[in-house]
DNA sequence: GGGTATGATTTTAT
DNA sequence: ATAAAATCATACCC
């Protein structure tokens, strides 16, 4: 019943040729991942699948043949016996029924094991986790750059995701995955990412500085603390607050090596920023350090307060549908 | 080999 | 639907 359907869907019990590739394509599409770009692994998968299909068909044929043979054999036996004792057609029918049931149960087992094999094959080949590859350095750079320059609201719109995907030569869903992972892991342990954050922020600042030339030193803030230069990446919740406090105070408390290390970097960064006269990164200039952008509870998305803090460049309009899946 | 990093998937909550 | 959180499975490094 269900086994039949599934085997048919997998192309195992379907038409002899071509079914395999169709099934492979369907499976690949169903897995939601890559489409038809990795033909090497696909051919491997297809070969294995066709192997399974072949075994299945030969076995099935064998069983059928055996069933027929056995049936005729029994029929002959019955016929022979009919000379010595009366045999009703009902009995014959019953006999044949028993035989067929027996064989069909065997067939069921065959189908089941075939299904299992296909499932294993699928999970082995199609589960992307099994062949995970790290993104190349450049892609990670691009993603990190975006993330840290939109740290107050690291939720790229659909368009932005597409852009990033194109730049990194990965899929949109991979971009989504990356940001999902990044957000949660960043939030979970900000301290661990502080260095990275500073690095990218500094780089962005430098870029902005070189782009916007110089001379905007007129309005250099006399109170760098209030500007919260480190604030953009210190949206920590209470847990990791010690670090941000250190940085903001700018004092000399050196409770931990990490803190000290970060301290110096933050200082240099602050320096850079104060020279550039702001946090203009061109892409998302504002709300970087707006007190609302970094909402009170430290999260990016506050479920309780419908703060309408959206990205400045991208409106809420994006109505893109994901083609995959 | 063990430990961590990381991309992907699954589950849960809204 | 979307994102967070938890989890998985592998990669990468020592």
């Amino acid at each position: 019943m269900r086994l039949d359907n599934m085997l048919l869907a997998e192309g195992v019990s379907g038409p002899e040729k071509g079914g395999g590739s169709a099934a492979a394509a369907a499976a690949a599409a169903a897995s939601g991942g890559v489409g038809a770009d990795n033909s090497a692994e696909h051919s491997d998968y297809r070969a294995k699948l066709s192997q399974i299909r072949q075994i299945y068909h030969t076995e099935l044929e064998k069983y059928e043949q055996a069933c027929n043979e056995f049936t005729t054999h029994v029929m002959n036996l019955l016929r022979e016996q009919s000379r010595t004792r009366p045999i009703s057609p009902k009995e014959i029918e019953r006999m044949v029924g028993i035989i067929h049931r027996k064989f069909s149960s065997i067939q069921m087992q065959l189908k089941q094991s075939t299904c299992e094999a296909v499932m294993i094959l699928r999970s082995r080949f199609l589960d992307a986790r099994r062949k995970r590859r790290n993104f190349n350095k450049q892609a990670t750079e691009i993603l990190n750059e975006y993330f840290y320059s939109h740290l107050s609201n690291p939720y790229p719109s659909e368009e932005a995701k597409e852009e990033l995907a194109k730049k990194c030569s990965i899929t949109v869903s991979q971009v989504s995955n990356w940001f999902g992972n990044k957000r949660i892991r960043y939030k979970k342990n900000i301290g661990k990412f502080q260095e990275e954050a500073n690095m990218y922020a500094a780089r962005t600042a430098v870029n902005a500085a070189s782009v916007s030339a110089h001379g905007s030193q007129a309005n250099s803030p006399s109170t760098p603390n209030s500007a919260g230069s480190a604030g953009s990446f210190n949206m920590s919740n209470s847990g990791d607050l010690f670090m941000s406090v250190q940085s903001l105070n700018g004092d000399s408390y050196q409770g931990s090596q990490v803190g000290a290390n970060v301290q110096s970097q933050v200082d240099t960064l602050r320096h850079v920023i104060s020279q550039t006269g702001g946090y203009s990164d061109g892409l998302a200039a504002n709300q970087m350090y707006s007190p609302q952008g970094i909402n009170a509870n430290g999260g990016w998305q506050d479920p309780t307060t419908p703060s309408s803090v959206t990205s400045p460049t991208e409106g809420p309009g994006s109505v893109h549908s994901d083609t995959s899946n």
Side-chain angles (χ1 to χ4, degrees):
Chain A
M1 333 322 149
R2 295 180 55 148
L3 292 177
D4 278 321
N5 287 338
M6 185 192 147
L7 287 173
L8 201 63
E10 293 304 324
V12 173
S13 61
E16 271 291 322
K17 290 269 176 141
S21 63
S31 85
V34 286
D37 47 21
N38 53 350
S39 55
E41 290 149 28
H42 257 214
S43 68
D44 201 0
Y45 170 80
R46 211 151 50 212
K48 287 251 167 46
L49 189 68
S50 80
Q51 198 178 326
I52 290 174
R53 190 174 63 232
Q54 198 178 335
I55 290 171
Y56 170 78
H57 275 130
T58 53
E59 289 293 305
L60 200 65
E61 211 169 304
K62 220 188 307 180
Y63 287 153
E64 223 151 88
Q65 198 178 333
C67 182
N68 284 340
E69 270 174 31
F70 195 73
T71 308
T72 55
H73 184 70
V74 168
M75 292 285 262
N76 284 341
L77 240 53
L78 251 51
R79 203 169 303 146
E80 224 165 89
Q81 277 197 6
S82 71
R83 293 186 201 138
T84 60
R85 70 180 178 93
I87 291 178
S88 65
K90 205 152 190 188
E91 192 175 346
I92 295 173
E93 200 179 312
R94 203 167 60 86
M95 220 55 176
V96 171
I98 288 169
I99 292 165
H100 279 192
R101 266 201 296 282
K102 212 62 184 169
F103 272 90
S104 77
S105 88
I106 291 171
Q107 273 189 19
M108 193 56 81
Q109 272 178 307
L110 170 68
K111 282 175 185 173
Q112 192 161 349
S113 60
T114 306
C115 265
E116 257 170 53
V118 171
M119 282 322 239
I120 289 168
L121 183 70
R122 274 189 67 157
S123 71
R124 170 82 44 91
F125 277 82
L126 267 28
D127 188 350
R129 280 183 296 193
R130 289 184 184 277
K131 51 186 177 190
R132 183 179 71 75
R133 291 282 115 87
N134 289 355
F135 298 154
N136 61 41
K137 199 93 168 149
Q138 197 180 355
T140 337
E141 292 255 314
I142 292 167
L143 293 167
N144 272 317
E145 219 162 276
Y146 188 98
F147 180 80
Y148 286 113
S149 66
H150 296 72
L151 198 46
S152 57
N153 187 35
Y155 297 88
S157 69
E158 204 62 27
E159 291 172 18
K161 280 182 197 170
E162 279 172 31
E163 179 89 13
L164 287 168
K166 203 198 292 181
K167 270 202 254 182
C168 302
S169 56
I170 57 178
T171 68
V172 173
S173 49
Q174 280 178 307
V175 174
S176 297
N177 288 340
W178 191 91
F179 272 89
N181 283 323
K182 191 73 180 177
R183 280 193 300 264
I184 193 71
R185 282 163 187 164
Y186 178 85
K187 194 168 73 172
K188 215 161 182 172
N189 188 352
I190 292 180
K192 190 185 286 185
F193 289 92
Q194 194 83 15
E195 203 176 335
E196 194 178 62
N198 290 339
M199 209 184 77
Y200 280 100
R203 188 181 308 179
T204 305
V206 168
N207 278 353
S210 65
V211 166
S212 73
H214 60 293
S216 70
Q217 188 143 3
N219 59 353
S220 84
S222 58
T223 61
N225 283 350
S226 67
S229 59
S232 60
F233 30 81
N234 271 340
M235 52 203 313
S236 72
N237 46 16
S238 54
D240 274 307
L241 215 57
F242 69 97
M243 211 164 265
S244 52
V245 169
Q246 273 175 245
S247 315
L248 288 171
N249 285 347
D251 62 11
S252 62
Y253 170 55
Q254 308 211 344
S256 68
Q257 314 88 306
V258 180
N261 186 18
V262 168
Q263 176 82 49
S264 66
Q265 299 198 15
V266 169
D267 279 346
T268 59
L269 174 60
R270 186 181 298 156
H271 185 71
V272 170
I273 290 166
S274 68
Q275 280 184 330
T276 66
Y279 224 103
S280 62
D281 71 316
L283 293 172
N286 62 2
Q287 57 133 262
M288 208 52 155
Y289 37 77
S290 80
Q292 285 151 330
I294 309 157
N295 47 20
N297 63 1
W300 286 296
Q301 291 210 328
D302 189 352
T304 60
T305 59
S307 68
S308 61
V309 179
T310 53
S311 172
T313 56
E314 52 219 84
S318 63
V319 207
H320 265 300
S321 62
D322 198 356
T323 55
S324 66
N325 269 4

